[in-house]
Amino acid sequence: MSISPEQQQQYLQQLRQEVATATLQEMLQKINEKCFAKCVTKPGSSLSSSEQRCLAYCVDRYQDCQALVGQTFIQRGERGG
């Protein structure tokens, strides 16, 4: 039994959404692990101002790096290697 082109497109769209969701969840988990370990030396009931700054900077840098890696991947794919 074959599926119609419309069903194939729906399936591919759903698959893309699931991959995007999984990728985002993985990125958030890595940010939490790496930035928390780097910035929060003494966990308590609240974050100090230096911990807050460190976390904000860490998250920004991680996102910048992820964007750069993604752009590089796309460019290499467009060039064919």
Side-chain angles (χ1 to χ4, degrees):
M1 180 174 163
S2 67
I3 59 174
S4 71
E6 293 83 16
Q7 290 171 321
Q8 287 178 347
Q9 286 300 319
Q10 288 175 345
Y11 176 75
L12 287 174
Q13 182 62 28
Q14 181 182 356
L15 185 60
R16 286 185 189 113
Q17 289 174 342
E18 289 175 12
V19 168
T21 299
T23 301
L24 180 59
Q25 288 174 338
E26 181 181 352
M27 184 178 78
L28 290 173
Q29 180 181 353
K30 285 182 179 181
I31 287 173
N32 284 338
E33 290 172 3
K34 294 182 183 301
C35 294
F36 189 85
K38 177 182 177 172
C39 298
V40 182
T41 56
K42 296 180 182 176
S45 60
S46 63
L47 297 171
S48 69
S49 60
S50 62
E51 289 171 331
Q52 290 176 17
R53 281 192 303 276
C54 180
L55 286 167
Y57 183 78
C58 182
V59 169
D60 287 346
R61 295 298 67 82
Y62 196 87
Q63 289 174 331
D64 291 345
C65 289
Q66 288 295 107
L68 180 62
V69 168
Q71 268 307 110
T72 302
F73 183 73
I74 290 169
Q75 289 171 353
R76 287 185 180 175
E78 290 173 350
R79 289 188 301 211

